[in-house]
Amino acid sequence: MQAPLVGVVLLWSASVKLFTRRGRLRSQTTALSKLLGEQRAALAYRGLGGIEALLGLALLTPPLWWPKPAAVIVMAIGFAGYLTYARIHAPESSCGCMSATHVPISWRGYSRAGWLLAAGILGLFANQFWFTALTGEPVVLAAVMVGEAVLFIALSPEFDGAWLVPLRRLRVAVTDPLGGDNDSIPLDATVTRLHHSDLYRHVAPALRTDVHEHWDEDEYRFITYGAEYDGSKATAVFAVPLRSDAPEPIRVALVNEETGETLIQLDHAPEEAETPEWALSRGSTPAGSTVG
Amino acid sequence: MAKSFDRRRLLTGAALGAAGVVTGSAFGSFAPEAALAAEPTPGIDPGMPDPNFAEGLIRSISDDTISALGSDGTLWRVRVTSGTSVWKLKPTTFDNVAVGDGMYARGAVLDDGTIAADSVWANIVNLKAHVTSIGEQKLYLDHNDERVIAHVIPGTTAAVYNGTPAISDVSMVKVDSHVQVLGAWLPGTNEIEISTIYAAA
């Protein structure tokens, strides 16, 4: 009774290998190209498709003949062996089994080969051509076929987009496992805003560390960095308004923590026009890179 | 604690300054370029390792010095001071760094080969991955065919959708979508904690 299902699966698999325009390209991402070399992979890929097509057609048509399920068994063992080879020697490749999607090799691939194997073995014991059997006991056999088809689809990553992903999305929609907005403003938001400010770009050449410390106070988030000013260590402390639409500007101070004195304090980056001539002509640094 | 409070008050006051103060003219120049861009960083030849950067698995920590084994076999000694910034999922303090953590450090090489660290990042990872499923405060990711479990840490994890400013709401991440995750690896596992997740929404 497995014959029609296996036949359809093989025909579908063959059509992907034989008739998709990208078949040749596809073959090179599968483990075949590692096994046989890139030149021969395409030929082997198509050849395999041809064998699958012939076997699929043979299974769908009479007469009942034992070499047909035997060939399915051989193929199933071959697939499992190929999966094992690929997993060991080309773990990054796609199994190239039955569709054009990239599918990593996993237990599902093996289960599917096992399914094929079981179908082949059962096929050996068949004593009636499937169409005859189906007309004899339509309800029971149709139910068995549907059950097996469901199992096959469940084992095939190629179909995940049709049922597994929507199911998972539905579960997420119903249970909301990640919770919602907890009203806090992530540090990342403040730091990104700071990085985009002219003031930060102006001061950045003096900064030596990543974010050292941060705390919130009075609608401001304070972020400190280790800095160097005139050859000695200093702390750069930025005050960034928490609300992004706040009218207050971002401010910065460079503080020498040992003496407690404020070395410099700014609430905006100086415009280029404000940069004195002596600062521009000093050294080879172009004004643009330091003034930002 | 009191010291830390005083320090913060000092820094807070310095940053906000007196009303109307625009620049620190009391100390001479109001243009900090001269002092800020004091010495240009010497360039590094292409392909050469950055001499001021260290990376490795932490083997031991004694007082203020980390010993780490680099992925190329180099043994690093990294000195951490109170001025060193430490990152482990978020800006934190040195006592949260543990043996077994992966360490990245940047600083200045001293004469004895020790690196005096300006910044230390522990277990930082940056993954481009595929979301295969979403569970209770965690995402199941496929990263180069490897399963990675990424935990959402409420209050720390930030989400950036389509490049807009980060928010704390991670729930717009969809199953079967691509994301980039900046986070901290949990040593010895295939799990990470998410610092920032970048996604399309």
Side-chain angles (χ1 to χ4, degrees):
Chain A
M1 202 50 237
Q2 276 67 34
L5 202 54
V6 175
V8 168
V9 165
L10 285 177
L11 280 180
W12 164 56
S13 171
S15 72
V16 170
K17 292 190 175 72
L18 288 176
F19 301 122
T20 50
R21 283 197 305 131
R22 294 170 57 82
R24 192 187 150 78
L25 276 175
R26 279 279 311 138
S27 65
Q28 307 194 335
T29 70
T30 68
L32 268 181
S33 63
K34 192 118 173 183
L35 182 63
L36 299 171
E38 288 198 5
Q39 297 305 314
R40 275 166 290 182
L43 194 63
Y45 194 67
R46 304 255 164 164
L48 184 64
I51 295 170
E52 284 177 345
L54 284 178
L55 186 58
L57 279 175
L59 284 167
L60 286 176
T61 51
L64 184 70
W65 190 38
W66 69 267
K68 291 182 191 171
V72 173
I73 295 176
V74 171
M75 284 199 88
I77 294 172
F79 283 150
Y82 167 71
L83 284 180
T84 308
Y85 169 85
R87 199 181 166 91
I88 294 169
H89 291 279
E92 74 288 352
S93 59
S94 167
C95 79
C97 312
M98 295 190 179
S99 76
T101 47
H102 172 92
V103 175
I105 299 160
S106 72
W107 64 271
R108 298 171 89 187
Y110 284 102
S111 307
R112 199 160 61 173
W115 175 88
L116 200 60
L117 183 65
I121 292 173
L122 282 174
L124 281 178
F125 298 102
N127 49 16
Q128 265 183 311
F129 179 59
W130 64 270
F131 194 73
T132 328
L134 191 61
T135 45
E137 284 221 50
V139 178
V140 176
L141 292 180
V144 170
M145 266 176 75
V146 169
E148 289 185 12
V150 166
L151 180 67
F152 176 79
I153 288 172
L155 288 175
S156 299
E158 290 86 353
F159 294 111
D160 281 357
W163 66 277
L164 188 58
V165 168
L167 209 61
R168 283 178 172 163
R169 283 191 176 161
L170 181 68
R171 192 188 63 190
V172 169
V174 171
T175 62
D176 193 18
L178 297 180
D181 202 333
N182 58 18
D183 274 346
S184 63
I185 299 169
L187 177 63
D188 191 77
T190 322
V191 169
T192 306
R193 176 148 176 250
L194 179 60
H195 285 179
H196 288 172
S197 70
D198 288 339
L199 184 62
Y200 178 85
R201 291 177 199 190
H202 180 71
V203 177
L207 302 185
R208 292 289 174 271
T209 74
D210 198 359
V211 173
H212 194 255
E213 227 184 314
H214 64 98
W215 64 94
D216 295 353
E217 199 178 311
D218 299 340
E219 302 295 309
Y220 278 99
R221 175 163 287 168
F222 294 87
I223 303 178
T224 70
Y225 292 82
E228 200 173 309
Y229 187 86
D230 253 344
S232 60
K233 282 202 183 295
T235 300
V237 50
F238 290 91
V240 186
L242 272 172
R243 281 164 24 132
S244 56
D245 56 352
E248 293 86 10
I250 296 176
R251 298 163 188 269
V252 66
L254 263 67
V255 179
N256 182 331
E257 286 204 51
E258 277 170 29
T259 59
E261 70 181 348
T262 304
L263 303 168
I264 191 166
Q265 201 260 336
L266 300 167
D267 66 358
H268 65 275
E271 311 247 326
E272 267 182 70
E274 291 183 37
T275 310
E277 281 300 313
W278 58 265
L280 281 173
S281 59
R282 220 175 109 110
S284 58
T285 321
S289 69
T290 49
V291 178
Chain B
M1 193 59 215
K3 196 182 168 204
S4 157
F5 181 75
D6 285 348
R7 180 166 166 262
R8 286 190 174 181
R9 218 167 47 181
L10 166 72
L11 294 172
T12 304
L16 296 181
V21 173
V22 175
T23 56
S25 55
F27 299 95
S29 152
F30 65 81
E33 284 83 3
L36 294 182
E39 50 192 273
T41 334
I44 302 162
D45 290 333
M48 294 305 286
D50 183 345
N52 298 318
F53 179 78
E55 152 281 327
L57 271 181
I58 298 178
R59 307 243 300 211
S60 66
I61 299 174
S62 57
D63 297 333
D64 59 350
T65 306
I66 300 173
S67 297
L69 179 63
S71 53
D72 60 353
T74 313
L75 278 166
W76 293 105
R77 285 164 54 79
V78 176
R79 174 127 22 104
V80 175
T81 65
S82 62
T84 306
S85 72
V86 178
W87 187 96
K88 189 172 175 179
L89 187 64
K90 56 190 171 187
T92 182
T93 48
F94 183 47
D95 49 347
N96 287 316
V97 177
V99 172
D101 284 348
M103 173 214 69
Y104 301 85
R106 170 169 280 290
V109 182
L110 305 179
D111 287 342
D112 64 352
T114 306
I115 287 192
D118 287 326
S119 301
V120 169
W121 297 268
N123 298 332
I124 191 166
V125 289
N126 184 2
L127 308 177
K128 287 175 182 167
H130 188 87
V131 180
T132 56
S133 186
I134 295 177
E136 195 60 38
Q137 297 292 3
K138 59 190 164 191
L139 309 174
Y140 296 93
L141 304 177
D142 179 280
H143 176 249
N144 297 340
D145 294 346
E146 303 274 352
R147 162 65 61 90
V148 174
I149 300 171
H151 296 273
V152 173
I153 308 297
T156 298
T157 301
V160 174
Y161 300 105
N162 305 333
T164 53
I167 56 175
S168 61
D169 184 0
V170 192
S171 64
M172 278 184 264
V173 175
K174 287 198 275 293
V175 172
D176 196 35
S177 65
H178 283 283
V179 293
Q180 181 165 1
V181 179
L182 191 71
W185 169 60
L186 299 173
T189 67
N190 64 338
E191 300 180 28
I192 63 171
E193 294 179 329
I194 305 174
S195 173
T196 306
I197 182 164
Y198 301 85

